[in-house]
Amino acid sequence: MSENANVVEITAANFETDVLERSFQVPVVLDFWAEWCGPCKTLGPLLDAEVEKRGGAFVLAKLDTEKNPELAGAFQI
């Protein structure tokens, strides 16, 4: 996980505060990913670079679908 304050790891416990509530203050990009997912390994570093380059213009919320199947299912991922 990135050490950037604009990159957060999302779980069921922090979804409401770090995604929903925070989106009222700044755009939040929700990145669904899994360790085994090839395209995720390509997209992840690109998103990390963009959040770094844009310096707080948006928050990157990363949700591991394997660790959070209930949230992935709620979004039909």
Side-chain angles (χ1 to χ4, degrees):
M1 187 60 57
S2 174
E3 293 185 23
N4 187 323
N6 295 311
V7 178
V8 293
E9 184 174 350
I10 299 302
T11 64
N14 69 349
F15 182 84
E16 187 171 338
T17 56
D18 287 348
V19 176
L20 299 179
E21 291 177 14
R22 200 161 182 187
S23 71
F24 289 110
Q25 300 157 352
V26 63
V28 176
V29 174
L30 186 53
D31 177 24
F32 292 92
W33 69 280
E35 186 64 37
W36 52 264
C37 173
C40 299
K41 291 180 180 183
T42 301
L43 182 60
L46 296 173
L47 291 172
D48 288 338
E50 282 301 311
V51 77
E52 190 73 33
K53 181 168 56 171
R54 296 176 190 268
F58 71 95
V59 170
L60 179 58
K62 295 187 170 205
L63 190 144
D64 183 339
T65 59
E66 294 295 307
K67 292 181 181 176
N68 300 281
E70 68 288 346
L71 285 173
F75 287 93
Q76 299 180 0
I77 303 291

